[in-house]
Amino acid sequence: MRHAALLLLLSTAACAMNDAQTQTAAAPAPAPTASLVYPNTERQNIVEAQFGQQVADPYRWLENDVREDSKVAAWVAQQNALTNSYLATLPARAVFEQRLRELFDFERFGIPEKAGSRYFYSRNTGLQNQNVLYVREGLSGAPRMLIDPNTWSKDGATALAEWTPSEDGKRVLYSVQEGGTDWRVVRVLDVDTGRVMTDEVKWVKFANVDWAKDGSGFYYSRFPEPKAAEQFQSLNENHTVYFHKLGTPQAQDRLIYADTARPKVSNIVQVSDDGRWLVITSSEGTDERYDITLIDLTQPRATPRKLVTGMQNQWDYIGNVGNTFYWSTNTEAPRLRIVSTDISRPGLDVKQLVAQDEATLGGASIVGNRLIASYLVDAKTEVRTFSLDGKPMDKVTLPGIGTAGGFSGDATDTETFFAFSSFNMPTTIYRYDAASGQVTPWAQPQVRFRPEDITVSQRFYRSKDGTRVPMFIVHRRDLDIKKPQPTLLYGYGGFNASMLPGFSASRMAWVEQGGVFALANIRGGGEYGKAWHDAGRLAYKQNVFDDFIAAGEYLVREGITSRNKLAIQGGSNGGLLVGAVVNQRPDLFAAALPAVGVMDMLRFDRWTAGRYWVDDYGYPNKEADFRRLAAYSPYHNIRSGKDYPAILVTTADTDDRVVPGHSFKYTAALQATQTGPQPKLIRIETRAGHGSGKPTEKIIEEYADMWAFIAHHTGMSVPAVQTAAR
């Protein structure tokens, strides 16, 4: 562990105490934007009639896989060359890269998982490209490295993804993620010897992998093997559950459960706490609308029992004690409640244990014969405990206002672990004693900045229709936000995903330099339960854009920033958000960072996981949905004759969730349309995907590029910071 005393280096006033270490960055001024010459992207005459509307798609050829189509690959090379030449002229880029590397250089731990007498956890010394898996014999035992994925590839882009130890801690299931793809290869490690066993399971995606209780093998879900040329673009259908017996080839894996009549259904598998039951959660889209199937593992070839049918509500398995199963559900409770079912009785025998609260239930677990429930209170975590019959006990003491997660275990455990972080507090791992309620730090990082120098506040603003929306604001304590400052506004707004306080070394680099960071908890997320989600999807998707625009208007109205100092950022569904609001209000923003965005709303359901997203977006082949989608699709609504902000699109060649063709087509359309003098550029990463598994080095380089870009276009003055001798 590196706990050496390090000199804290901040910009402007914070660095005035040692002027010898601070000087103005000297670099060539960026070339005038008007001099940018975009690549000549071929425009094809593709126009299709959809519900009486003529829809042009001149850049459809850019949908082709960059790994398979040399023409697309040449376009990517030209775009990257242009973008790199522009970014190289930005004075702040080297400054941000230097500081990002310093801020990322701190020891980070994952939440430990106990199996037998062993504790398994991930660790990163700081600048390692990938986290490393360790084990301890006992809670205070010496750490022993088990898996180091940093040795798997020269570029660090092969990652250790999901992992889980067997019940006795003798083996570890782990999955390998290559170049950022969502596909996984599952392997098995013998913990005693450190030997990788011969077992290998392929074509696993969007799946849980869980051990049989006796360690004889594991259960998993997989898709059929795609054609070689289509593995990164073909639709994902026919998700099937198998059992793999250790020491046998995958071809001999036993089919456990399939739903051939419903090829679009995904099936996630868990082994119950007592090992007797297989719990299969089935869904068709991204909505929390599930069927639950139980299979009695004590009965060979047991007939699957349909416990919950109809895919109407959320049912999340918490755990079980004998025949009593515990669930969190939104049945008759849009902010969720905790119930139990007695599976020894026929049908679905539901007993309410913990009623719906004003706060939103985020998740629950059973540890030490008590329920531990995490709630969201205005997008901040509160953790409460209950007896197994639902009686309130106490609250778990958290270190402050932020986000807590973890608390896994079962009824026989006496301890559990959780992670806590906030915008100015790096992730710290805590141990919770279920008997005493005592919380103690287990792994606390030492960072290269002073958390007390960063201010975090929460404000509420009104959206276009009067809805009250929360927003977090983060800045240096010495920064005067009564004067307009360069500000980065972030949002997501979809799929019931809650945007919560959390530490980001990359954002800290922006804040240190005098930037404000704002996170708007817009509708479409899950911060206030199902109603908040429903108010930002399908026919109500425009609420998401209105909420985000209103956040920007609030920041300007309050004098925190101005229109020529406001940048926006979002990824995936958030990339769609950024693309849509730039089209609707190009005058409000100085710069935009849409990342891996869903930009063609009329064809999104044709690739990989896109078919799942109809729950939030609707069906492009249904007229009412089509008309709504066509009205805000970023690719189709770029407004010629309007001055757009500076835009840096980011994506990656191995993104097989939101295929990069979305960003390629959107960028080509931006560059071909009269949208003013500000740059419209795209940065395309190689051997990277939608985000997970990306090497630390690639993350640092990407954020250095993005922060330098928006710093320049929001007028941020970035002094060069020289690292002091240690």
Side-chain angles (χ1 to χ4, degrees):
M1 298 176 69
R2 298 183 61 187
H3 292 317
L6 303 174
L7 178 64
L8 179 67
L9 299 171
L10 295 176
S11 64
T12 44
C15 283
M17 58 186 178
N18 193 339
D19 291 334
Q21 295 173 358
T22 303
Q23 61 188 39
T24 302
T33 303
S35 68
L36 281 175
V37 179
Y38 299 119
N40 184 22
T41 304
E42 178 184 341
R43 183 181 176 91
Q44 299 177 345
N45 186 28
I46 298 178
V47 180
E48 296 172 336
Q50 294 180 257
F51 302 106
Q53 183 172 327
Q54 298 297 306
V55 179
D57 191 4
Y59 305 111
R60 186 173 294 178
W61 64 273
L62 286 171
E63 295 173 355
N64 294 342
D65 191 335
V66 65
R67 290 165 296 272
E68 303 290 335
D69 190 319
S70 59
K71 186 177 172 182
V72 176
W75 183 88
V76 166
Q78 290 177 319
Q79 293 287 346
N80 271 341
L82 175 65
T83 299
N84 291 338
S85 66
Y86 181 82
L87 294 172
T89 69
L90 300 179
R93 200 225 171 266
V95 178
F96 276 117
E97 182 178 3
Q98 173 186 321
R99 188 57 180 145
L100 282 162
R101 189 161 277 108
E102 293 168 349
L103 287 167
F104 270 89
D105 193 9
F106 71 95
E107 190 176 32
R108 302 183 290 279
F109 289 84
I111 300 174
E113 184 169 342
K114 184 181 181 182
S117 61
R118 290 168 165 163
Y119 292 78
F120 299 81
Y121 60 95
S122 64
R123 173 178 174 260
N124 191 307
T125 57
L127 294 177
Q128 290 177 291
N129 276 320
Q130 303 293 343
N131 294 339
V132 179
L133 183 64
Y134 285 81
V135 65
R136 292 182 183 180
E137 302 290 342
L139 187 61
S140 58
R144 175 165 62 97
M145 185 176 70
L146 287 178
I147 302 174
D148 182 5
N150 295 289
T151 64
W152 291 349
S153 62
K154 291 182 179 180
D155 64 355
T158 306
L160 170 65
E162 302 79 16
W163 54 268
T164 183
S166 59
E167 182 80 5
D168 57 10
K170 292 184 177 180
R171 295 187 175 95
V172 173
L173 276 174
Y174 69 96
S175 59
V176 179
Q177 180 184 19
E178 183 66 42
T181 176
D182 281 331
W183 291 114
R184 302 289 193 263
V185 176
V186 180
R187 297 195 171 102
V188 182
L189 180 83
D190 183 282
V191 176
D192 288 331
T193 65
R195 179 177 60 89
V196 178
M197 300 173 66
T198 58
D199 303 83
E200 182 178 84
V201 168
K202 296 181 178 180
W203 308 115
V204 176
K205 182 193 280 194
F206 309 141
N208 188 50
V209 181
D210 209 357
W211 283 99
K213 208 70 168 177
D214 62 3
S216 61
F218 56 88
Y219 298 88
Y220 68 97
S221 309
R222 56 160 290 189
F223 292 103
E225 180 178 353
K227 295 179 181 179
E230 299 177 359
Q231 62 177 297
F232 296 109
Q233 289 197 323
S234 61
L235 281 174
N236 303 140
E237 295 184 333
N238 296 302
H239 206 221
T240 305
V241 178
Y242 289 89
F243 176 74
H244 175 81
K245 183 179 179 180
L246 292 186
T248 64
Q250 184 175 4
Q252 295 180 12
D253 288 357
R254 177 161 54 94
L255 174 65
I256 299 296
Y257 183 81
D259 195 339
T260 55
R262 299 188 296 176
K264 293 185 177 181
V265 169
S266 294
N267 300 294
I268 305 300
V269 62
Q270 293 173 271
V271 176
S272 65
D273 288 348
D274 58 6
R276 176 178 175 179
W277 298 93
L278 200 62
V279 183
I280 300 173
T281 302
S282 302
S283 62
E284 190 165 326
T286 55
D287 272 5
E288 290 80 6
R289 295 184 289 111
Y290 305 144
D291 285 353
I292 302 293
T293 303
L294 301 181
I295 297 177
D296 189 344
L297 299 177
T298 66
Q299 303 296 321
R301 310 294 179 179
T303 301
R305 173 183 172 183
K306 301 289 186 179
L307 185 68
V308 177
T309 59
M311 289 191 184
Q312 296 296 314
N313 294 102
Q314 180 173 349
W315 288 85
D316 289 328
Y317 171 71
I318 296 173
N320 71 293
V321 178
N323 290 326
T324 302
F325 276 57
Y326 297 83
W327 313 86
S328 63
T329 180
N330 62 6
T331 305
E332 301 176 1
R335 292 186 302 279
L336 287 86
R337 58 181 178 144
I338 298 175
V339 302
S340 66
T341 59
D342 185 346
I343 64 167
S344 67
R345 299 181 179 182
L348 184 62
D349 179 51
V350 178
K351 178 182 179 182
Q352 178 170 285
L353 300 177
V354 180
Q356 175 180 247
D357 191 81
E358 287 299 315
T360 302
L361 178 63
S365 59
I366 299 176
V367 178
N369 288 311
R370 68 175 61 189
L371 290 160
I372 302 179
S374 296
Y375 286 87
L376 292 181
V377 181
D378 287 332
K380 305 178 291 290
T381 301
E382 183 175 293
V383 182
R384 310 168 188 172
T385 65
F386 303 86
S387 64
L388 291 183
D389 60 3
K391 294 178 181 178
M393 297 179 69
D394 51 28
K395 293 182 180 180
V396 177
T397 302
L398 299 180
I401 296 174
T403 303
F407 299 103
S408 64
D410 59 43
T412 62
D413 289 330
T414 58
E415 65 179 354
T416 187
F417 297 85
F418 67 93
F420 181 86
S421 69
S422 189
F423 293 108
N424 61 346
M425 184 181 297
T427 300
T428 300
I429 309 300
Y430 292 88
R431 178 180 179 271
Y432 172 72
D433 187 298
S436 66
Q438 185 178 10
V439 172
T440 53
W442 185 79
Q444 194 160 12
Q446 301 296 312
V447 292
R448 303 181 68 167
F449 73 98
R450 287 161 47 92
E452 60 269 27
D453 289 340
I454 307 300
T455 293
V456 179
S457 62
Q458 187 179 41
R459 300 193 184 189
F460 294 85
Y461 65 94
R462 295 289 176 180
S463 188
K464 182 178 180 180
D465 63 358
T467 299
R468 184 173 181 261
V469 182
M471 177 165 57
F472 291 101
I473 297 177
V474 186
H475 59 88
R476 270 197 348 242
R477 187 173 298 277
D478 65 347
L479 189 71
D480 183 4
I481 62 169
K482 293 180 181 179
K483 298 178 181 179
Q485 303 290 351
T487 298
L488 175 60
L489 171 62
Y490 184 90
Y492 186 77
F495 299 101
N496 202 35
S498 301
M499 298 292 103
L500 307 178
F503 180 74
S504 166
S506 58
R507 289 173 181 166
M508 188 56 59
W510 170 259
V511 171
E512 279 188 340
Q513 295 295 345
V516 175
F517 174 76
L519 172 63
N521 297 107
I522 56 183
R523 282 173 286 185
E527 288 87 347
Y528 294 105
K530 188 176 185 297
W532 198 249
H533 176 210
D534 288 345
R537 65 186 183 120
L538 299 174
Y540 303 100
K541 187 66 177 177
Q542 183 59 40
N543 287 337
V544 176
F545 311 138
D546 290 342
D547 288 359
F548 199 61
I549 289 168
E553 291 175 333
Y554 173 87
L555 292 167
V556 171
R557 186 169 61 250
E558 292 294 305
I560 295 170
T561 191
S562 59
R563 294 186 180 192
N564 63 351
K565 292 181 177 292
L566 178 59
I568 54 174
Q569 181 190 23
S572 194
N573 175 75
L576 157 65
L577 167 69
V578 170
V581 300
V582 164
N583 284 339
Q584 294 180 16
R585 286 295 306 276
D587 62 301
L588 184 56
F589 314 111
L593 298 172
V596 293
V598 188
M599 299 306 199
D600 185 343
M601 301 309 298
L602 305 184
R603 288 172 63 81
F604 71 85
D605 60 341
R606 297 171 183 244
W607 302 288
T608 60
R611 66 168 182 83
Y612 294 107
W613 311 334
V614 294
D615 281 349
D616 250 48
Y617 300 149
Y619 293 82
N621 63 351
K622 294 182 179 180
E623 183 173 0
D625 291 346
F626 164 81
R627 297 202 180 281
R628 286 192 294 265
L629 292 165
Y632 69 76
S633 177
Y635 173 53
H636 298 93
N637 288 280
I638 297 169
R639 301 164 66 187
S640 182
K642 296 289 184 179
D643 283 349
Y644 272 44
I647 299 175
L648 178 61
V649 181
T650 53
T651 188
D653 62 358
T654 316
D655 190 345
D656 52 356
R657 192 172 309 177
V658 179
V659 295
H662 280 280
S663 294
F664 294 174
K665 292 167 59 176
Y666 170 69
T667 301
L670 277 173
Q671 293 177 349
T673 307
Q674 296 299 320
T675 55
Q678 298 302 333
K680 315 300 184 299
L681 300 172
I682 184 169
R683 184 189 189 280
I684 304 149
E685 187 61 81
T686 57
R687 274 184 48 82
H690 200 60
S692 68
K694 185 177 290 185
T696 300
E697 186 61 29
K698 287 183 183 289
I699 294 172
I700 290 172
E701 292 173 354
E702 182 177 38
Y703 276 99
D705 287 343
M706 292 192 298
W707 289 175
F709 184 84
I710 63 172
H712 177 69
H713 292 285
T714 58
M716 175 181 279
S717 177
V718 180
V721 181
Q722 305 299 318
T723 304
R726 302 182 185 178

